[in-house]
Every structure is written in structure tokens, then in C-alpha cells.
């Protein structure tokens, strides 16, 4: 994925004898866009509950409202206030962090003892950091200013000088491999022959998908393909510095004798498509390329070299980390659930949650793009060749089901078509065939009902049995109940 990489480290006061690595889990995001997804990581909540809907201040991204209502309830704030942890943050926080209209870089979010926050969005050079609320400007000198390396050095300093008498939590959030994809000088010539994966859905016309996908130019022009391939190479190059960061942090923990007693979590805030369905470069779509992200974890009581098929979501990260620290997650209002028992191998597929919500609210400009005047208003991110990656009505919600008997995705759009997309990921992993017109009507009704329940859920109600869980009960009357904030808009095409 192209999204910002996030390294989380949680040190436990109780020592375990079996610190080992490595477990890989399938993880999905609550929203395929930076700020809403990062807000979900911090709060353990779906976007409809933390109310961050896009990357703008008006969309609640690091706004004063976010600071007042959500920051006091993030899992780092709970770790610091109630579990006695010393906490450290370095890197990209939320896209509008440092905006003068929301307190500027002087604002240090609740929950952090040591704060190194990047002002605004992803950069590699010529940026400002908030170091415990004081601005520190950086220029264009590699040895002093390359952001990934700066974050590495600050992380190592924290590990070196922190208190040895309190447990610690650190969150290192590198912009790499986010645009502008600027690699370190020593890596700028790597991967010269690398190309974006030519999967079956690469450069294919999505004729059975919502209109924003149907408008893509197929086949893509040679210039679009060259652009996405070069971006793909640059992203890999920037990640080599992230590899260096991870290696140095792990070695520092090992030298200090803390590695076997520390959980290390490596993940990302959203995926990225490069040519899938002829969309050149972006995220914001409902497909696996955009909503599925890596999740690697090592730590106490985790057996080495495991992969589990039990799916988790980024709203689960906060509850899991709190559980690792011994904090009672039931005291929170988080929508996610701890997967610590999954890591330790004490949960089987018949008892784990089978489905979860993915939601996104599209953005578009009120005026036409001067470079693409024929498109009219309401669209955005129209590059290259005037292929638009987002629009006002690119607004959707999905139920993603991962169960022993089903691997499905059901999505509804808030547009004039009330468009529905359904995929059987087991037989169609690249989502080439939209089953909405051919799938059994009863299945559609159940998935529609489940989607409405999830879109209005909060806390415990987000974790109720799913359609493919034997405990699930389907009451069609609820589809038309005033208890749901959405009317049943399902249409048989």
C-alpha cells in the first residue's frame, strides 16, 4: 500500500518467557483515506462515531472539535492517564495538525509525554516539526533533514533516555511511502526495472461498477502507465529507509534487554491502487487494493512465523494495545475489539467476529477543474488524463465479511443510482464480477440489514453477530424501523 507506515511499540511491565516473532494478520481499514483512518486507529471508533470524514479541517481532521471530544479518549491518552505508561509520538499525526485555525503546532494532543508531530501532510524535506509544542524547521539537507531518518534518531533517543521504571508506548508514523515519494540519496537508483503488479484487474474496464470507475479511460495511456510504474518504484525506494528505522529500533530494544518484553506492531492507514480498473493512482475506493493493509506483530507469547485467516480492522488496534497493557477495554466506548487472544492462539474461527464496516464520504469541487473543463463540478483528484479518483457521490458503506463459510463484500452508494456492488472474494479475489444483479435476493436483504445496523452502531453494538455467524438473527421489520437512521434503499436491478 502507499499509505503512511506506522510502527507501534508497547512495553509490558510483566515479563513473558516466550517473546518471539512473527504473526501476520489480514487487516482492513474503517475508511480508505488518511485522516479518517488514522482517527479510527487512535480512537478505536468508526468514522460515523469519531466524525472525521475527510482530510480537511471542515471534515473534522485535527479540528478544535476533534481535540475537545476525541483526543481525551484515544488509547494513548488512556495508557498515559490510567495505565501509567510513558508515551512517545513521532511523525505524521493527522493531515491538518498544526493548522493555525486549530491551535497551530503549539497544540500537543492529550496522551503524549514526548511529542514530535509533523505540521500538516506528508513531506520528506523542508517541513516543520512540533517538538513538545515548539516549532522546529528543517531544510533540504539529507544528513540533517530527511524526515524518516530524523524520526529514526528521535525514536532511538527516546529509547535511550526514557525512564526504566515505567512501561512505555511509542508510535512512529513515517510519511513514507506517501507522495511525494522522495527517496534517500543512497536508494534513489534502486528497483530500476520494477513495475506495479499486473494483476487480473490491472488496466481493465470496470463496466459493472459505480460510475466513477466506469468513467476511467481504458486502456490507460502509456503516459499514465509510466507515471504509476515510476510512482511504484519511488514508493519502494522510500520504504528502504523505513526498513532501516525498524532495524535500528529493534536492535536498540535488543541491546537494552527489552525486545522480548515488547510488542512491535507494523501496519498502515490505508491501501493504494495503481492501475486497478484503469484508475492510475489513489485510494478512496472500496476494493481490496484500497481497504486492505499489512499487519505484522511480534511480541510476548506470539509463536513465530504464523499467518492467521481471522480478519481484524484498524478500529481493533486501540482495544488490543490497551488489553496488552492490562487496561479494561470494556470501560471504553470503542467500536473495535481486542484481538490479543487471536495473537496468543486462544480464539478459533467459530467465535471470532465475522464482519465489519467500511465507510467513506466522497469529496468534490464546487467548480470545474480548469484542466478538465468537460467534467463539470462535483469531482476531484482528476489526474492524469482527466480520470477522476473522487467525487461528491463517491460516498459508500460496505459490510466486509470474513467467515469460514463466506468471504464477501457488500456495498451501497449514496448516489442517484443507489448503486450496489457485491463480490465473492473466495472465487473472485480481484473483484472483477459484481454479483449485485444475480445474487439471491434474501442474501441482499440480509446484507442490507446488516449494513444499516453497522452504520448506526456504537461500542458493543458494532460487535454483534454477523450474517454468517450462527448467532445472527434476521428481522426484516428492522429494515423499516425508525430505529435506523437510514431507510432501506435496496433496489433489485
Amino acid at each position: 500500500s502507499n499509505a503512511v507506515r506506522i510502527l507501534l511499540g508497547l512495553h509490558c511491565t510483566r515479563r513473558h518467557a516466550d517473546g518471539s516473532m512473527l504473526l501476520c494478520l489480514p487487516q482492513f481499514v474503517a475508511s480508505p483515506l488518511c485522516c479518517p483512518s488514522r482517527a479510527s486507529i487512535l480512537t478505536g471508533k468508526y468514522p460515523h462515531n469519531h466524525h472525521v470524514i475527510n482530510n480537511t479541517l471542515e471534515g473534522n481532521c485535527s479540528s478544535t472539535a476533534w481535540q475537545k471530544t476525541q483526543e481525551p479518549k484515544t488509547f494513548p491518552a488512556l495508557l498515559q492517564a490510567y495505565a501509567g505508561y510513558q508515551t512517545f509520538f513521532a511523525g505524521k499525526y493527522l493531515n491538518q495538525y498544526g493548522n493555525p485555525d486549530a491551535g497551530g503546532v503549539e497544540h500537543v494532543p492529550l496522551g503524549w509525554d514526548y511529542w514530535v508531530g509533523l505540521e500538516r501532510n506528508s513531506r520528506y524535506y523542508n517541513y516543520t516539526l512540533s517538538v513538545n509544542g515548539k516549532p522546529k524547521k528543517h531544510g533540504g539537507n539529507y544528513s540533517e533533514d530527511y524526515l524518516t531518518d530524523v524520526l529514526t534518531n528521535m525514536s532511538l533517543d527516546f529509547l535511550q533516555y526514557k525512564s526504566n521504571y515505567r512501561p512505555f508506548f511509542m508510535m512512529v508514523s513515517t510519511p513514507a511511502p506517501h507522495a511525494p515519494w522522495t527517496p534517500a540519496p543512497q536508494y534513489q537508483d534502486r528497483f530500476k526495472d520494477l513495475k506495479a503488479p499486473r494483476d487480473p484487474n490491472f488496466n481493465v474496464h470496470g463496466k459493472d461498477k459505480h460510475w466513477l470507475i466506469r468513467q476511467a479511460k481504458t486502456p490507460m495511456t502509456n503516459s499514465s502507465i509510466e507515471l504509476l510504474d515510476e510512482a511504484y518504484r519511488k514508493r519502494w525506494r522510500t520504504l528502504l529507509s523505513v526498513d532501516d528505522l525498524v532495524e535500528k529500533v529493534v536492535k536498540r530494544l535488543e541491546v537494552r534487554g527489552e525486545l522480548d518484553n515488547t510488542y512491535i506492531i507494523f501496519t498502515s492507514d490505508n491501501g493504494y491502487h495503481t492501475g486497478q480498473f484503469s484508475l492510475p493512482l489513489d485510494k478512496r475506493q472500496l476494493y481490496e487494493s484500497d481497504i486492505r493493509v499489512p499487519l505484522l506483530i511480534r511480541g510476548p507469547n506470539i509463536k513465530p512465523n504464523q499467518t492467521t485467516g481471522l480478519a481484524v480492522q484498524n478500529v481493533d488496534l486501540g482495544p488490543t494495545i490497551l488489553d496488552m497493557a492490562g487496561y479494561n477495554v470494556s470501560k471504553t466506548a470503542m467500536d473495535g475489539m481486542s484481538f490479543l487472544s487471536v495473537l496468543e492462539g486462544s480464539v478459533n474461527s467459530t467465535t471470532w467476529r465475522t464482519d465489519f464496516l467500511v465507510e467513506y464520504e466522497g469529496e468534490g469541487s464546487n467548480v470545474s477543474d480548469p484542466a478538465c473543463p468537460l467534467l463539470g463540478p462535483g469531482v476531484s483528484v482528476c489526474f492524469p488524463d482527466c480520470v477522476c479518483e473522487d467525487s461528491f457521490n463517491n460516498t459508500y458503506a460496505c459490510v466486509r465479511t470474513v467467515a469460514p463459510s463466506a468471504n464477501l463484500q457488500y456495498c451501497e452508494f449514496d448516489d442517484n443510482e443507489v448503486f450496489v456492488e457485491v463480490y465473492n472474494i473466495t472465487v473472485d479475489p480481484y473483484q472483477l464480477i459484481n454479483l449485485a444483479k444475480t445474487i439471491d435476493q434474501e442474501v441482499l436483504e440480509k446484507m442490507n440489514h446488516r449494513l444499516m445496523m453497522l452504520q448506526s452502531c456504537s461500542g458493543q453494538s458494532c460487535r454483534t453477530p454477523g450474517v454468517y455467524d450462527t448467532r445472527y438473527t434476521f428481522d426484516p421489520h428492522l429494515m423499516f424501523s425508525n430505529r435506523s437512521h437510514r431507510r432501506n434503499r435496496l433496489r433489485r436491478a
Side-chain angles (χ1 to χ4, degrees):
S1 74
N2 179 60
V4 177
R5 299 293 173 169
I6 302 169
L7 180 70
L8 307 170
L10 184 94
H11 178 77
C12 300
T13 51
R14 57 188 186 279
R15 187 168 184 82
H16 297 272
D18 189 30
S20 53
M21 65 180 304
L22 179 72
L23 177 65
C24 177
L25 299 96
Q27 183 186 220
F28 298 84
V29 296
S31 185
L33 186 64
C34 311
C35 205
S37 182
R38 301 172 78 75
S40 287
I41 292 173
L42 290 163
T43 62
K45 296 178 181 179
Y46 285 121
H48 69 261
N49 287 327
H50 62 57
H51 307 297
V52 178
I53 60 172
N54 57 42
N55 291 343
T56 68
L57 203 61
E58 295 75 22
N60 205 29
C61 181
S62 204
S63 67
T64 53
W66 156 269
Q67 294 168 16
K68 291 177 182 177
T69 63
Q70 301 302 321
E71 280 184 350
K73 304 172 185 176
T74 63
F75 76 85
L78 297 176
L79 282 175
Q80 182 197 55
Y82 300 109
Y85 275 68
Q86 52 190 323
T87 56
F88 169 86
F89 179 90
K92 178 179 175 180
Y93 178 60
L94 300 177
N95 298 55
Q96 292 298 324
Y97 173 75
N99 191 312
D101 292 333
V105 295
E106 292 75 23
H107 170 69
V108 176
L110 286 174
W112 302 103
D113 294 304
Y114 304 94
W115 173 259
V116 183
L118 175 67
E119 181 187 34
R120 301 295 182 100
N121 206 356
S122 303
R123 303 284 288 274
Y124 295 80
Y125 293 107
N126 301 305
Y127 54 85
T128 297
L129 293 176
S130 169
V131 180
N132 295 322
K134 295 182 179 180
K136 181 175 176 55
K137 294 185 179 296
H138 282 263
N141 185 299
Y142 168 71
S143 62
E144 298 177 356
D145 303 311
Y146 188 67
L147 182 55
T148 307
D149 293 352
V150 170
L151 299 180
T152 301
N153 293 332
M154 290 186 163
S155 300
L156 296 176
D157 286 345
F158 168 73
L159 290 174
Q160 188 66 31
Y161 299 113
K162 65 177 176 59
S163 168
N164 293 327
Y165 301 101
R166 293 170 58 201
F168 68 87
F169 170 76
M170 61 187 300
M171 184 173 186
V172 186
S173 181
T174 68
H178 198 287
W181 315 309
T182 309
Q186 68 270 29
Y187 297 135
Q188 62 186 7
D189 295 325
R190 297 287 187 92
F191 310 118
K192 287 184 176 180
D193 299 323
L194 190 67
K195 294 182 178 180
R198 266 48 172 180
D199 292 328
N201 56 7
F202 179 84
N203 205 10
V204 168
H205 181 42
K207 57 186 177 183
D208 62 354
K209 293 168 173 50
H210 63 283
W211 78 269
L212 195 61
I213 305 298
R214 299 197 300 266
Q215 58 89 37
K217 291 180 172 62
T218 303
M220 292 182 288
T221 62
N222 288 337
S223 60
S224 289
I225 294 175
E226 290 171 2
L227 172 68
L228 69 87
D229 279 338
E230 180 60 21
Y232 192 77
R233 286 187 285 272
K234 288 179 177 178
R235 293 203 302 276
W236 273 58
R237 292 164 184 158
T238 65
L239 283 175
L240 290 174
S241 294
V242 179
D243 285 349
D244 293 338
L245 183 158
V246 174
E247 181 181 19
K248 290 177 181 179
V249 167
V250 170
K251 284 185 175 180
R252 179 62 56 87
L253 288 168
E254 188 173 28
V255 168
R256 292 180 57 83
E258 297 173 326
L259 182 59
D260 289 346
N261 202 32
T262 301
Y263 290 98
I264 299 174
I265 304 170
F266 182 86
T267 189
S268 189
D269 57 357
N270 56 256
Y272 205 66
H273 57 255
T274 48
Q276 285 81 6
F277 306 117
S278 297
L279 292 180
L281 291 169
D282 200 50
K283 42 215 173 186
R284 305 169 217 260
Q285 295 301 326
L286 57 93
Y287 308 108
E288 296 284 282
S289 56
D290 294 25
I291 68 171
R292 189 162 177 167
V293 295
L295 178 59
L296 304 173
I297 302 179
R298 102 183 286 287
N301 295 333
I302 298 176
K303 295 180 180 180
N305 303 319
Q306 294 184 87
T307 299
T308 177
L310 299 181
V312 301
Q313 201 175 20
N314 62 356
V315 295
D316 300 328
L317 289 170
T320 302
I321 292 170
L322 290 173
D323 195 9
M324 290 171 172
Y327 184 82
N328 186 350
V329 182
S330 65
K331 293 181 178 180
T332 75
M334 293 181 174
D335 302 331
M337 55 193 297
S338 170
F339 55 83
L340 181 58
S341 56
V342 175
L343 301 179
E344 296 178 341
S346 58
V347 165
N348 61 49
S349 59
T350 61
T351 59
W352 186 246
R353 176 193 56 200
T354 60
D355 58 26
F356 41 81
L357 177 69
V358 178
E359 51 190 349
Y360 178 69
E361 186 163 330
E363 294 181 81
S365 174
N366 290 320
V367 297
S368 298
D369 186 333
C372 306
L374 297 179
L375 295 175
V379 293
S380 61
V381 199
C382 299
F383 76 98
D385 301 320
C386 293
V387 174
C388 299
E389 300 280 1
D390 205 4
S391 66
F392 278 128
N393 62 356
N394 182 41
T395 296
Y396 58 83
C398 304
V399 179
R400 183 67 174 88
T401 299
V402 181
S405 59
N407 189 6
L408 298 175
Q409 184 179 30
Y410 171 92
C411 302
E412 287 185 16
F413 279 80
D414 188 9
D415 60 13
N416 291 334
E417 296 180 276
V418 193
F419 202 79
V420 176
E421 296 191 31
V422 183
Y423 299 97
N424 182 342
I425 309 298
T426 301
V427 299
D428 181 22
Y430 297 101
Q431 297 167 289
L432 295 168
I433 303 171
N434 180 7
L435 300 174
K437 295 182 180 180
T438 59
I439 199 169
D440 185 80
Q441 180 71 16
E442 183 181 357
V443 174
L444 283 178
E445 290 176 353
K446 287 183 177 180
M447 298 304 289
N448 171 253
H449 167 63
R450 180 62 175 150
L451 180 60
M452 288 195 298
M453 295 299 101
L454 283 172
Q455 281 193 280
S456 58
C457 78
S458 179
Q460 177 60 39
S461 63
C462 298
R463 305 189 290 274
T464 54
V467 173
Y468 286 87
D469 189 313
T470 56
R471 298 168 294 167
Y472 177 81
T473 56
F474 173 55
D475 182 358
H477 293 93
L478 292 178
M479 297 171 66
F480 307 97
S481 168
N482 291 329
R483 290 169 50 196
S484 175
H485 72 286
R486 300 174 68 250
R487 63 187 175 90
N488 175 37
R489 302 177 308 170
L490 183 64
R491 296 290 184 271
R492 183 71 171 183

